[in-house]
Structure formats: structure tokens, C-alpha cells
Amino acid sequence: YAPNTGAPRFIKQVLRDLQRDLDFRIIIMGDFNISLSILDRSMRQKVNKDIQDLNSTLDQVNLTDIYRTLHPKSTEYIFFSAPHHTYSKIDHIIRSKTLLSKCKRMAIVTVSQTTVQSN
């Protein structure tokens, strides 16, 4: 889980800390608290420098957002910000580009509030 403020900087630091241990078997997943693409936000704001730097860092360590790679034009969201009235996808599964061929399918599955409460 990345903090609400400074998420790109935090994630870049985690990647730097893990860099020597990163290999093709590593999968990093969780709430990054940041969208990695303009398609990951309902309000199409331009991608800022922090996000560009974070994507560049992911590329440098040969990692990619699996969902975005398998669904390059998808606009499905998992988070709603009530104060901003926007939707976004801030949870990511990052994996080595080398093993991308092993990923056959990935989808965002919506679970309703009533389903969650009844289980």
C-alpha cells in the first residue's frame, strides 16, 4: 500500500530498494494510490512528471502493469473518489516483461456492496 501523498516517489524508492532482488519471478501488487495511465482515470488529466518518472523506472527494471498491457484500451475502474467525483484504477499488478507471455487472462471483477456484506 502506497501512501496517499507522495505515492510515485514512495514506489520509486521501493523499486530502488528491491532492485537487486528483482528478477523474472517477482510480482508486485497492491494499492499504488496512483494511476499509471490516463486511461486509468475517469477525468482524462494529462500524465504528470511524477507518473512519467515512475513508468520510466518500471521500464528500466523491466517491469510492466500486466492489466494495462493485456487491456491497452480498457477503461475499467476500481476506486471512486467522492470528493473529486472521479473513478480510477489505482491497484496494479506489476510483473517482469519477460514472463508476460505466461499471463493468459486478467479481468477486473466488480463485487457489489450487498455481496460483500452478505458473505
Side-chain angles (χ1 to χ4, degrees), residues 1-15 28-36 54 79 89-92 94:
Y1 173 77
N4 289 334
T5 57
R9 200 170 33 254
F10 173 82
I11 296 165
K12 281 177 62 174
Q13 185 60 50
V14 168
L15 289 173
I28 301 169
M29 56 194 323
D31 181 348
F32 280 34
N33 251 326
I34 189 165
S35 300
L36 297 176
L54 178 54
F79 176 75
K89 183 175 91 58
I90 57 175
D91 291 318
H92 303 284
I94 306 297

Side-chain angles (χ1 to χ4, degrees), residues 77-93:
Y77 309 112
I78 52 118
F79 176 75
F80 175 70
S81 171
H84 299 106
H85 302 287
T86 59
Y87 291 90
S88 61
K89 183 175 91 58
I90 57 175
D91 291 318
H92 303 284
I93 300 175

Side-chain angles (χ1 to χ4, degrees), residues 33-51:
N33 251 326
I34 189 165
S35 300
L36 297 176
S37 163
I38 59 170
L39 292 176
D40 292 340
R41 293 182 262 179
S42 60
M43 284 188 73
R44 296 292 194 265
Q45 303 162 330
K46 71 177 204 170
V47 175
N48 66 30
K49 185 172 177 3
D50 285 337
I51 296 171

Side-chain angles (χ1 to χ4, degrees), residues 100-117:
L100 200 51
S101 64
K102 301 284 186 198
C103 299
K104 302 296 182 203
R105 189 175 64 135
M106 179 175 286
I108 293 175
V109 179
T110 305
V111 179
S112 70
Q113 217 32 33
T114 55
T115 303
V116 173
Q117 292 173 352

